[in-house]
């Protein structure tokens, strides 16, 4: 990746709806050249997908929790990932080092729904316990910065 690729990624990170003409104008490329850069970034897997950012509160999802998952067996299998992916409240799942085996990002409408989600996680094979950390306020969130190396 060169500096132009990083500039393209930074602009798209801020506004993925930029036209190729506007994108190219901001980095000194033609619309066609900007389109080609984006195509190559997608082809190489640098850009994994283009999506929108939705305000969870606008959807009534007011409770955010990070859940440490204890296990009695290896939970890094595709079956565990599929079981977690099937739970709508689970936004992210990460295998971690330390006392816990997994770290989940869970978002629900309220604490009752969080309790249901925790029960669903606990029902997954190999899970022996959960420890939820409920977020009171989010200071900021951001995606990976293409300018950092």
């Amino acid at each position: 990746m060169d500096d132009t690729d990083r500039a393209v990624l930074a602009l798209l990170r801020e506004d993925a709806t930029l036209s190729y003409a506007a994108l190219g104008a901001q980095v000194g490329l033609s619309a066609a050249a900007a389109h080609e850069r984006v195509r190559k970034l997608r082809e190489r897997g640098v850009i994994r997908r283009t999506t929108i950012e939705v305000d969870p509160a606008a959807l009534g999802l007011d409770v955010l929790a990070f859940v440490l998952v204890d296990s009695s067996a290896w939970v890094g299998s595709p079956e565990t990932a599929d079981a977690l992916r099937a739970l709508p409240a689970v936004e992210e799942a990460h295998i971690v080092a330390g006392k816990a085996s997994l770290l989940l990002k869970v978002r629900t409408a309220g604490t009752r729904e969080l309790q249901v989600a925790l029960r669903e996680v606990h029902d997954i094979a190999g899970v022996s316990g959960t420890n939820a950390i409920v977020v009171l306020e989010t200071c900021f969130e951001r995606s990976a910065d293409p300018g950092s190396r």
Side-chain angles (χ1 to χ4, degrees):
M1 279 203 345
D2 62 14
D3 289 341
T4 302
D5 286 337
R6 285 185 177 79
V8 165
L9 290 171
L11 289 165
L12 290 175
R13 181 176 154 208
E14 288 301 314
D15 182 1
T17 66
L18 280 175
S19 69
Y20 292 119
L23 183 61
Q26 291 189 53
V27 296
L29 298 173
S30 68
H35 181 267
E36 183 65 13
R37 287 268 182 162
V38 172
R39 185 190 68 72
K40 286 181 179 178
L41 288 167
R42 284 191 179 138
E43 192 174 88
R44 292 192 337 247
V46 176
I47 297 175
R48 291 192 277 189
R49 62 190 177 121
T50 303
T51 186
I52 59 171
E53 185 176 340
V54 177
D55 178 6
L59 300 177
L61 299 172
D62 295 324
V63 175
L64 171 61
F66 291 94
V67 180
L68 294 165
V69 177
D70 297 322
S71 65
S72 59
W74 175 247
V75 289
S77 68
E79 294 79 17
T80 303
D82 290 343
L84 290 166
R85 193 176 291 110
L87 303 178
V90 177
E91 290 187 354
E92 297 178 15
H94 307 273
I95 297 171
V96 296
K99 185 177 179 225
S101 300
L102 291 165
L103 173 66
L104 308 179
K105 182 178 180 181
V106 176
R107 201 177 296 268
T108 62
T111 55
R112 283 194 173 113
E113 292 83 1
L114 177 58
Q115 185 177 5
V116 168
L118 292 174
R119 194 173 306 120
E120 291 172 334
V121 169
H122 202 277
D123 288 343
I124 294 173
V127 171
S128 62
T130 59
N131 181 11
I133 302 165
V134 176
V135 174
L136 300 177
E137 180 180 349
T138 298
C139 299
F140 69 89
E141 291 179 305
R142 64 176 159 216
S143 61
D145 181 358
S148 66
R149 299 171 208 226

